Amino acid sequence: RKILCIFAAMSERSELHTRNKHNGQYDFSLLTENYPPLRKFVLLNPLGIQTIDFFNPHAVKALNKALLISYYGIRYWDIPRNYLCPPIPGRADYVHYIADLIDLERVSNTANEENGDKPKRQCRCLDIGVGANCIYPIIGHVEYGWMFVGSDIDPVSIENARKIVTCNPVLAHKIDLRLQKDNRRIFDGIIAPDEYFDVTICNPPFHSSKKEDRLCAFCEKGTPVPGGEFVICPKKGLVDENFSCRSFSYDPLKREPKRKETDVFCEFVDI
């Protein structure tokens, strides 16, 4: 009953979760102050309200960086070209509703010990398909202090997510990234014997029906997600609408590319 009520609330609400830091209009004054490169993408819509062109992937990426710096204390965040750049407010909503589902009081990252409260046990989460952006673990840990294991079949995603964790002290030793070497498996090879998780999360493709019209600007085989924000590509999964299959020479489902060993390099932003 609790699960049904929470997901009914998610589907019925037009605004974001009450604990979501991104309710209302974006504070572009704050965002551009904390991340100046965003400034060149800010424009006015017909109502005179500041916004960005959400069809411009560079603008969306800059907005994400500004949000992560301003609200989550992230000093470094980047993703490889043509990898999914997620909308942070929506991902944050998902995390907040998960917190409602697994009992916020039990998994809170704070405890008022002065009033005799016992420290809460940390929630352990498994993010299946963590992706190169590592967005769910970032939000889940910063907002609630949860510990994460993130898995993915794509070594590039795991490498990039690990770099994000390594370059941010707030995330260090809180998020463990694991490569799933068998794409036919989900949990096997990832969850260790006697390892326990409070919740597993995943950002899957979404289909409203099998008869849904197909549309892809590049191969005409993609399925648009309602709202037009993303496209489900049969080759790469859920991608943004500017994704081009032909830009990929590597398919993580078929082979693992040889990569040179490189040192982790972090470009920090002063905040």
Side-chain angles (χ1 to χ4, degrees):
R1 179 185 296 270
K2 186 175 183 180
I3 295 175
L4 292 176
C5 289
I6 288 176
F7 281 92
M10 291 178 67
S11 63
E12 293 175 0
R13 293 173 65 95
S14 58
E15 69 275 14
L16 297 174
H17 193 285
T18 55
R19 291 193 301 277
N20 197 319
K21 296 175 178 177
H22 312 294
N23 272 297
Q25 301 291 335
Y26 289 118
D27 185 349
F28 281 101
S29 296
L30 173 66
L31 295 175
T32 55
E33 178 181 354
N34 290 335
Y35 187 63
L38 173 64
R39 188 171 288 116
K40 66 181 180 181
F41 297 110
V42 177
L43 48 83
L44 296 178
N45 66 15
L47 298 177
I49 299 174
Q50 286 186 318
T51 185
I52 64 168
D53 179 3
F54 287 93
F55 291 99
N56 182 343
H58 301 291
V60 174
K61 186 175 179 180
L63 175 61
N64 275 6
K65 288 186 176 183
L67 291 172
L68 290 169
I69 291 169
S70 300
Y71 296 103
Y72 300 95
I74 298 302
R75 299 177 62 189
Y76 169 85
W77 184 85
D78 202 359
I79 54 175
R81 183 181 178 184
N82 292 321
Y83 272 65
L84 178 65
C85 188
I88 290 176
R91 299 300 192 268
D93 240 35
Y94 187 97
V95 170
H96 290 304
Y97 277 106
I98 289 293
D100 289 343
L101 182 64
I102 59 180
D103 188 351
L104 180 62
E105 289 299 318
R106 183 174 65 83
V107 300
S108 172
N109 64 341
T110 60
N112 191 344
E113 296 183 5
E114 293 181 357
N115 294 336
D117 293 345
K118 296 181 180 179
K120 309 298 190 299
R121 179 178 64 81
Q122 285 184 318
C123 177
R124 300 192 74 246
C125 305
L126 172 61
D127 183 3
I128 303 167
V130 63
N133 56 73
C134 198
I135 201 66
Y136 284 130
I138 291 174
I139 297 174
H141 177 69
V142 173
E143 290 284 51
Y144 297 105
W146 297 346
M147 304 289 286
F148 274 84
V149 168
S151 69
D152 208 290
I153 62 173
D154 180 8
V156 177
S157 291
I158 291 295
E159 178 181 327
N160 195 79
R162 185 172 289 124
K163 181 178 178 181
I164 292 172
V165 172
T166 302
C167 291
N168 287 282
V170 69
L171 306 177
H173 309 297
K174 308 298 182 182
I175 300 170
D176 183 17
L177 287 311
R178 303 176 185 176
L179 178 66
Q180 173 57 272
K181 297 181 179 180
D182 186 346
N183 59 42
R184 298 168 299 176
R185 307 288 183 180
I186 296 177
F187 300 112
D188 290 348
I190 295 298
I191 301 179
D194 300 322
E195 190 172 26
Y196 177 84
F197 292 97
D198 295 274
V199 62
T200 63
I201 61 177
C202 183
N203 186 42
F206 300 95
H207 298 272
S208 61
S209 71
K210 292 183 178 180
K211 298 181 180 180
E212 188 173 15
D213 292 335
R214 295 186 175 274
L215 175 63
C216 179
F218 302 97
C219 63
E220 297 184 352
K221 294 182 180 180
T223 303
V225 174
E229 184 179 25
F230 298 110
V231 173
I232 302 169
C233 173
K235 180 178 180 181
K236 299 297 292 187
L238 190 66
V239 297
D240 68 64
E241 58 186 1
N242 296 313
F243 166 79
S244 172
C245 298
R246 287 178 287 191
S247 66
F248 284 89
S249 59
Y250 155 62
D251 185 346
L253 297 179
K254 295 181 180 179
R255 60 186 175 87
E256 181 175 333
K258 295 181 179 180
R259 300 180 60 84
K260 295 181 180 180
E261 294 293 332
T262 57
D263 296 329
V264 174
F265 173 76
C266 306
E267 179 184 354
F268 292 104
V269 177
D270 292 330
I271 57 175

